[in-house]
Short mmCIF file of all heavy atoms in Angstrom, two decimals:
data_model
loop_
_atom_site.label_atom_id
_atom_site.label_comp_id
_atom_site.label_asym_id
_atom_site.label_seq_id
_atom_site.Cartn_x
_atom_site.Cartn_y
_atom_site.Cartn_z
N MET A 14 39.76 3.38 -40.98
CA MET A 14 40.00 1.98 -40.65
C MET A 14 38.70 1.19 -40.78
O MET A 14 37.71 1.51 -40.14
CB MET A 14 40.54 1.85 -39.23
CG MET A 14 40.83 0.41 -38.81
SD MET A 14 41.53 0.31 -37.15
CE MET A 14 40.18 0.95 -36.16
N LYS A 15 38.71 0.18 -41.62
CA LYS A 15 37.52 -0.63 -41.82
C LYS A 15 37.43 -1.69 -40.72
O LYS A 15 38.40 -2.37 -40.40
CB LYS A 15 37.57 -1.31 -43.19
CG LYS A 15 36.37 -2.18 -43.50
CD LYS A 15 36.51 -2.80 -44.88
CE LYS A 15 35.28 -3.67 -45.18
NZ LYS A 15 35.18 -4.80 -44.26
N GLN A 16 36.25 -1.81 -40.13
CA GLN A 16 36.03 -2.82 -39.10
C GLN A 16 34.95 -3.79 -39.58
O GLN A 16 34.04 -3.41 -40.31
CB GLN A 16 35.61 -2.16 -37.79
CG GLN A 16 36.65 -1.21 -37.24
CD GLN A 16 36.24 -0.61 -35.90
OE1 GLN A 16 35.76 -1.32 -35.03
NE2 GLN A 16 36.43 0.68 -35.75
N GLU A 17 35.06 -5.02 -39.17
CA GLU A 17 34.11 -6.05 -39.60
C GLU A 17 33.21 -6.43 -38.44
O GLU A 17 33.67 -6.78 -37.35
CB GLU A 17 34.87 -7.29 -40.09
CG GLU A 17 34.00 -8.29 -40.81
CD GLU A 17 33.52 -7.81 -42.18
OE1 GLU A 17 34.21 -6.99 -42.80
OE2 GLU A 17 32.45 -8.26 -42.61
N TYR A 18 31.91 -6.37 -38.69
CA TYR A 18 30.93 -6.78 -37.68
C TYR A 18 30.13 -7.95 -38.23
O TYR A 18 29.60 -7.89 -39.34
CB TYR A 18 30.00 -5.62 -37.31
CG TYR A 18 30.70 -4.58 -36.47
CD1 TYR A 18 31.41 -3.55 -37.08
CD2 TYR A 18 30.69 -4.66 -35.08
CE1 TYR A 18 32.09 -2.61 -36.31
CE2 TYR A 18 31.35 -3.72 -34.31
CZ TYR A 18 32.05 -2.70 -34.93
OH TYR A 18 32.72 -1.78 -34.17
N ILE A 19 30.09 -9.02 -37.46
CA ILE A 19 29.47 -10.26 -37.92
C ILE A 19 28.22 -10.53 -37.10
O ILE A 19 28.22 -10.45 -35.86
CB ILE A 19 30.45 -11.44 -37.79
CG1 ILE A 19 31.69 -11.19 -38.67
CG2 ILE A 19 29.79 -12.75 -38.18
CD1 ILE A 19 32.79 -12.20 -38.48
N ASN A 20 27.14 -10.86 -37.79
CA ASN A 20 25.90 -11.23 -37.13
C ASN A 20 26.04 -12.59 -36.48
O ASN A 20 26.26 -13.60 -37.16
CB ASN A 20 24.76 -11.24 -38.16
CG ASN A 20 23.43 -11.66 -37.56
OD1 ASN A 20 23.28 -11.70 -36.34
ND2 ASN A 20 22.46 -11.95 -38.41
N SER A 21 25.93 -12.64 -35.15
CA SER A 21 26.07 -13.91 -34.43
C SER A 21 24.75 -14.68 -34.37
O SER A 21 24.68 -15.73 -33.75
CB SER A 21 26.58 -13.65 -33.01
OG SER A 21 25.64 -12.88 -32.26
N GLY A 22 23.72 -14.14 -35.02
CA GLY A 22 22.40 -14.78 -35.01
C GLY A 22 21.33 -13.77 -34.66
O GLY A 22 21.50 -12.96 -33.76
N ASN A 23 20.23 -13.80 -35.38
CA ASN A 23 19.17 -12.82 -35.14
C ASN A 23 18.49 -13.03 -33.80
O ASN A 23 18.17 -14.17 -33.43
CB ASN A 23 18.14 -12.88 -36.26
CG ASN A 23 18.64 -12.27 -37.55
OD1 ASN A 23 19.82 -11.98 -37.70
ND2 ASN A 23 17.74 -12.07 -38.49
N LYS A 24 18.28 -11.94 -33.08
CA LYS A 24 17.57 -11.97 -31.80
C LYS A 24 16.74 -10.69 -31.68
O LYS A 24 17.08 -9.66 -32.25
CB LYS A 24 18.55 -12.02 -30.61
CG LYS A 24 19.27 -13.35 -30.43
CD LYS A 24 20.08 -13.31 -29.14
CE LYS A 24 20.74 -14.63 -28.84
NZ LYS A 24 21.49 -14.60 -27.55
N ASP A 25 15.66 -10.77 -30.93
CA ASP A 25 14.84 -9.58 -30.71
C ASP A 25 15.41 -8.76 -29.56
O ASP A 25 15.88 -9.29 -28.57
CB ASP A 25 13.39 -9.97 -30.42
CG ASP A 25 13.27 -11.00 -29.31
OD1 ASP A 25 13.93 -12.05 -29.40
OD2 ASP A 25 12.52 -10.76 -28.34
N THR A 26 15.34 -7.44 -29.71
CA THR A 26 15.91 -6.58 -28.68
C THR A 26 15.10 -6.59 -27.38
O THR A 26 15.64 -6.34 -26.31
CB THR A 26 16.07 -5.14 -29.20
OG1 THR A 26 14.83 -4.68 -29.76
CG2 THR A 26 17.14 -5.06 -30.28
N ARG A 27 13.80 -6.91 -27.48
CA ARG A 27 13.00 -7.00 -26.24
C ARG A 27 13.53 -8.12 -25.34
O ARG A 27 13.46 -8.00 -24.11
CB ARG A 27 11.53 -7.22 -26.56
CG ARG A 27 11.24 -8.47 -27.35
CD ARG A 27 9.77 -8.70 -27.57
NE ARG A 27 9.52 -9.83 -28.46
CZ ARG A 27 8.36 -10.44 -28.57
NH1 ARG A 27 7.33 -10.05 -27.86
NH2 ARG A 27 8.21 -11.45 -29.40
N SER A 28 14.07 -9.18 -25.93
CA SER A 28 14.67 -10.24 -25.12
C SER A 28 15.96 -9.77 -24.46
O SER A 28 16.31 -10.21 -23.37
CB SER A 28 14.94 -11.49 -25.98
OG SER A 28 13.72 -12.12 -26.32
N GLY A 29 16.68 -8.87 -25.14
CA GLY A 29 17.85 -8.26 -24.53
C GLY A 29 17.46 -7.45 -23.30
O GLY A 29 18.15 -7.47 -22.27
N PHE A 30 16.33 -6.75 -23.39
CA PHE A 30 15.83 -6.03 -22.23
C PHE A 30 15.50 -6.98 -21.09
O PHE A 30 15.88 -6.76 -19.94
CB PHE A 30 14.59 -5.22 -22.59
CG PHE A 30 13.80 -4.77 -21.39
CD1 PHE A 30 14.29 -3.79 -20.55
CD2 PHE A 30 12.57 -5.38 -21.08
CE1 PHE A 30 13.57 -3.39 -19.42
CE2 PHE A 30 11.86 -4.99 -19.96
CZ PHE A 30 12.35 -4.00 -19.12
N GLY A 31 14.78 -8.06 -21.40
CA GLY A 31 14.42 -9.02 -20.35
C GLY A 31 15.64 -9.61 -19.67
O GLY A 31 15.67 -9.75 -18.44
N ALA A 32 16.67 -9.93 -20.46
CA ALA A 32 17.89 -10.50 -19.89
C ALA A 32 18.63 -9.47 -19.04
O ALA A 32 19.15 -9.79 -17.96
CB ALA A 32 18.80 -11.01 -21.01
N GLY A 33 18.67 -8.23 -19.51
CA GLY A 33 19.34 -7.18 -18.76
C GLY A 33 18.63 -6.84 -17.46
O GLY A 33 19.26 -6.63 -16.42
N LEU A 34 17.30 -6.81 -17.51
CA LEU A 34 16.52 -6.54 -16.31
C LEU A 34 16.76 -7.62 -15.26
O LEU A 34 16.96 -7.32 -14.07
CB LEU A 34 15.03 -6.47 -16.66
CG LEU A 34 14.06 -6.27 -15.51
CD1 LEU A 34 14.27 -4.93 -14.84
CD2 LEU A 34 12.61 -6.40 -16.00
N TYR A 35 16.76 -8.86 -15.69
CA TYR A 35 16.98 -9.97 -14.76
C TYR A 35 18.37 -9.91 -14.14
O TYR A 35 18.53 -10.07 -12.93
CB TYR A 35 16.79 -11.30 -15.50
CG TYR A 35 16.87 -12.51 -14.60
CD1 TYR A 35 15.76 -12.94 -13.89
CD2 TYR A 35 18.06 -13.23 -14.47
CE1 TYR A 35 15.83 -14.04 -13.06
CE2 TYR A 35 18.13 -14.32 -13.65
CZ TYR A 35 17.02 -14.74 -12.93
OH TYR A 35 17.09 -15.83 -12.11
N GLU A 36 19.39 -9.65 -14.98
CA GLU A 36 20.76 -9.60 -14.47
C GLU A 36 20.95 -8.44 -13.50
O GLU A 36 21.59 -8.59 -12.46
CB GLU A 36 21.75 -9.50 -15.63
CG GLU A 36 23.20 -9.55 -15.19
CD GLU A 36 24.17 -9.70 -16.34
OE1 GLU A 36 23.87 -10.48 -17.27
OE2 GLU A 36 25.23 -9.04 -16.31
N ALA A 37 20.40 -7.29 -13.84
CA ALA A 37 20.52 -6.14 -12.95
C ALA A 37 19.83 -6.41 -11.62
O ALA A 37 20.33 -6.03 -10.55
CB ALA A 37 19.92 -4.90 -13.62
N ALA A 38 18.68 -7.08 -11.67
CA ALA A 38 17.91 -7.36 -10.46
C ALA A 38 18.60 -8.37 -9.56
O ALA A 38 18.40 -8.36 -8.34
CB ALA A 38 16.52 -7.85 -10.83
N LEU A 39 19.40 -9.25 -10.13
CA LEU A 39 20.16 -10.21 -9.33
C LEU A 39 21.09 -9.49 -8.36
O LEU A 39 21.33 -9.97 -7.25
CB LEU A 39 20.99 -11.12 -10.24
CG LEU A 39 20.28 -12.29 -10.93
CD1 LEU A 39 21.21 -12.94 -11.94
CD2 LEU A 39 19.81 -13.33 -9.91
N ASN A 40 21.61 -8.34 -8.81
CA ASN A 40 22.61 -7.62 -8.03
C ASN A 40 22.04 -6.45 -7.24
O ASN A 40 22.77 -5.81 -6.48
CB ASN A 40 23.72 -7.11 -8.97
CG ASN A 40 24.40 -8.25 -9.71
OD1 ASN A 40 24.79 -9.24 -9.10
ND2 ASN A 40 24.55 -8.11 -11.01
N ASN A 41 20.76 -6.17 -7.44
CA ASN A 41 20.17 -5.01 -6.74
C ASN A 41 18.73 -5.32 -6.35
O ASN A 41 17.83 -5.27 -7.19
CB ASN A 41 20.22 -3.78 -7.64
CG ASN A 41 19.88 -2.51 -6.88
OD1 ASN A 41 19.20 -2.53 -5.85
ND2 ASN A 41 20.35 -1.37 -7.39
N PRO A 42 18.48 -5.61 -5.08
CA PRO A 42 17.13 -5.97 -4.65
C PRO A 42 16.14 -4.81 -4.69
O PRO A 42 14.94 -5.02 -4.50
CB PRO A 42 17.35 -6.45 -3.20
CG PRO A 42 18.61 -5.77 -2.76
CD PRO A 42 19.46 -5.69 -3.98
N GLU A 43 16.63 -3.59 -4.91
CA GLU A 43 15.72 -2.44 -4.99
C GLU A 43 15.03 -2.33 -6.34
O GLU A 43 14.07 -1.56 -6.48
CB GLU A 43 16.49 -1.14 -4.70
CG GLU A 43 17.11 -1.07 -3.31
CD GLU A 43 16.07 -1.31 -2.22
OE1 GLU A 43 14.98 -0.70 -2.29
OE2 GLU A 43 16.35 -2.10 -1.30
N ILE A 44 15.49 -3.08 -7.33
CA ILE A 44 14.86 -3.03 -8.66
C ILE A 44 13.53 -3.77 -8.61
O ILE A 44 13.44 -4.91 -8.14
CB ILE A 44 15.78 -3.66 -9.72
CG1 ILE A 44 17.02 -2.77 -9.92
CG2 ILE A 44 15.04 -3.84 -11.05
CD1 ILE A 44 18.05 -3.37 -10.85
N ILE A 45 12.49 -3.10 -9.11
CA ILE A 45 11.18 -3.73 -9.23
C ILE A 45 10.70 -3.57 -10.67
O ILE A 45 11.24 -2.75 -11.43
CB ILE A 45 10.14 -3.12 -8.26
CG1 ILE A 45 9.87 -1.64 -8.58
CG2 ILE A 45 10.61 -3.28 -6.81
CD1 ILE A 45 8.73 -1.03 -7.78
N ALA A 46 9.73 -4.35 -11.06
CA ALA A 46 9.20 -4.29 -12.42
C ALA A 46 7.68 -4.12 -12.37
O ALA A 46 7.00 -4.76 -11.57
CB ALA A 46 9.57 -5.55 -13.19
N LEU A 47 7.18 -3.27 -13.23
CA LEU A 47 5.74 -3.05 -13.38
C LEU A 47 5.39 -3.26 -14.83
O LEU A 47 6.16 -2.91 -15.73
CB LEU A 47 5.34 -1.64 -12.96
CG LEU A 47 5.70 -1.16 -11.55
CD1 LEU A 47 7.09 -0.56 -11.51
CD2 LEU A 47 4.69 -0.13 -11.06
N CYS A 48 4.20 -3.81 -15.09
CA CYS A 48 3.83 -4.10 -16.47
C CYS A 48 2.34 -3.88 -16.68
O CYS A 48 1.53 -4.04 -15.77
CB CYS A 48 4.20 -5.54 -16.81
SG CYS A 48 4.20 -5.87 -18.58
N ALA A 49 2.00 -3.51 -17.91
CA ALA A 49 0.61 -3.25 -18.29
C ALA A 49 0.04 -4.46 -19.03
O ALA A 49 -0.32 -4.37 -20.20
CB ALA A 49 0.51 -1.99 -19.13
N ASP A 50 0.01 -5.59 -18.33
CA ASP A 50 -0.56 -6.83 -18.87
C ASP A 50 0.19 -7.34 -20.09
O ASP A 50 -0.40 -7.94 -20.99
CB ASP A 50 -2.05 -6.62 -19.22
CG ASP A 50 -2.81 -7.94 -19.27
OD1 ASP A 50 -2.39 -8.89 -18.58
OD2 ASP A 50 -3.81 -8.02 -19.99
N LEU A 51 1.51 -7.12 -20.12
CA LEU A 51 2.32 -7.51 -21.28
C LEU A 51 3.65 -8.13 -20.86
O LEU A 51 4.67 -7.95 -21.52
CB LEU A 51 2.59 -6.29 -22.17
CG LEU A 51 1.38 -5.70 -22.90
CD1 LEU A 51 1.72 -4.32 -23.44
CD2 LEU A 51 0.95 -6.62 -24.03
N ALA A 52 3.64 -8.87 -19.75
CA ALA A 52 4.89 -9.42 -19.22
C ALA A 52 5.58 -10.32 -20.23
O ALA A 52 6.80 -10.28 -20.39
CB ALA A 52 4.62 -10.18 -17.93
N GLY A 53 4.81 -11.15 -20.93
CA GLY A 53 5.40 -12.03 -21.93
C GLY A 53 5.95 -11.27 -23.11
O GLY A 53 7.05 -11.55 -23.61
#
């Protein structure tokens, strides 16, 4: 069965991580983030 996948617009996967981290943290106050001077 052939399936069609359409690009809805190019995005970087690191931004997907940032969005997922934020959403997960909204629902769980135990989530913390640590970074090696690369938050941006």
